[in-house]
Amino acid sequence: MNLQILADNVLFQGIEKAELEHVIAALGMKEKQYQKNEIIYHTGDVVEELGIILSGSAFIVRYDIWGGQNIIAYIEQGEVFGESYACVKKEALMVDVIAVQDTSVLFMNIGKLLKLENDCSGYQSLLLKNLLSVMASKNILLSGKMDHIARKSIRDKLMSYLSFQAVKNESSEFSIPFDRQQLADYLSVDRSALSRELSKMKKEKILTYKKNHFTLYKKADE
């Protein structure tokens, strides 16, 4: 297990790297391996554990009864998932968590965290405080997605999402974690219509792209 990934994780901020193994043992945290496209959590599961991606990445996906899918989020190394459901007892998952590639996940049982005693009790309040920060950050990201998909036109949705990625990456040139179909699912639009709009934007010199790598251009000053 790569302890440095955990040491850098917001969930463990304030805990020395040398103490992490002790905390992991006290919480009974376990690492599991998943192959590409394997489902980590299924819709309908009732979970008590949050997951931390140690390597690889995953999509959080919601399906409707007709088989349509909506990609809610992309989670990568060091990020946390399932924390909200793990904190709410007997609440069935409304999403699947699917490995994008071969992925390693470390699971933390929330119930055990709440019952920490003895020499680990000093970490309890710190971990819970950090968990609250993780959940707040997730809410901000979800609000960002809602802002993207609330735009009226496909172009507006694309510009909102791509602008967000440029700011996040601190560069007008960046890669996104989605192929065309996945991007269409994430923005809740038709794939063909999205591809046509991207082609138009490229012709208008608003952007260029190759697969999932984009470069955005600002309008020339008039």
Side-chain angles (χ1 to χ4, degrees):
M1 185 184 302
N2 189 339
L3 292 180
Q4 189 59 50
I5 294 174
L6 297 183
D8 293 338
N9 191 290
V10 65
L11 192 59
F12 296 97
Q13 282 186 358
I15 299 176
E16 296 295 330
K17 185 178 177 180
E19 300 293 331
L20 280 176
E21 287 188 0
H22 181 54
V23 174
I24 290 168
L27 289 170
M29 298 174 72
K30 296 180 180 179
E31 182 179 358
K32 292 186 66 176
Q33 309 293 329
Y34 296 89
Q35 295 181 344
K36 180 179 178 179
N37 295 326
E38 188 173 357
I39 298 179
I40 300 171
Y41 278 156
H42 292 77
T43 298
D45 285 349
V46 175
V47 302
E48 296 181 345
E49 298 173 318
L50 62 79
I52 303 168
I53 303 287
L54 296 180
S55 65
S57 56
F59 284 139
I60 298 177
V61 183
R62 176 174 288 129
Y63 294 95
D64 60 38
I65 61 173
W66 298 279
Q69 70 173 20
N70 180 15
I71 296 177
I72 305 298
Y74 170 77
I75 44 178
E76 54 190 345
Q77 186 182 69
E79 294 188 332
V80 176
F81 66 89
E83 67 283 351
S84 295
Y85 283 98
C87 289
V88 181
K89 293 182 178 180
K90 299 181 180 180
E91 185 71 27
L93 281 170
M94 296 299 292
V95 296
D96 282 4
V97 181
I98 306 171
V100 175
Q101 55 195 295
D102 290 349
T103 298
S104 176
V105 179
L106 183 67
F107 290 98
M108 176 194 289
N109 188 292
I110 295 297
K112 288 184 178 180
L113 171 60
L114 296 174
K115 295 177 182 178
L116 270 181
E117 296 178 352
N118 302 325
D119 55 345
C120 272
S121 61
Y123 297 123
Q124 184 182 47
S125 60
L126 183 58
L127 285 167
L128 289 173
K129 178 182 177 181
N130 292 341
L131 178 58
L132 180 61
S133 178
V134 168
M135 296 174 75
S137 296
K138 288 290 189 70
N139 283 335
I140 291 172
L141 288 175
L142 183 58
S143 296
K145 179 185 176 178
M146 295 304 295
D147 183 50
H148 305 326
I149 65 176
R151 306 300 176 99
K152 292 183 178 180
S153 70
I154 293 176
R155 176 170 295 204
D156 287 344
K157 294 175 193 285
L158 278 167
M159 292 183 74
S160 177
Y161 172 71
L162 294 174
S163 293
F164 175 84
Q165 291 298 319
V167 172
K168 178 181 177 182
N169 288 277
E170 299 182 345
S171 173
S172 59
E173 184 175 353
F174 53 86
S175 295
I176 64 173
F178 305 129
D179 60 24
R180 289 292 176 272
Q181 184 60 62
Q182 292 162 349
L183 180 57
D185 292 338
Y186 181 79
L187 295 176
S188 299
V189 299
D190 177 74
R191 175 183 175 176
S192 297
L194 179 139
S195 294
R196 286 195 299 271
E197 194 59 49
L198 281 173
S199 294
K200 291 179 183 177
M201 294 170 74
K202 186 175 183 179
K203 289 178 181 178
E204 295 172 22
K205 298 183 179 180
I206 296 172
L207 53 75
T208 57
Y209 56 85
K210 183 176 182 181
K211 295 185 177 180
N212 69 332
H213 190 81
F214 288 81
T215 302
L216 309 185
Y217 300 113
K218 296 181 179 179
K219 292 182 180 180
D221 294 333
E222 297 181 357

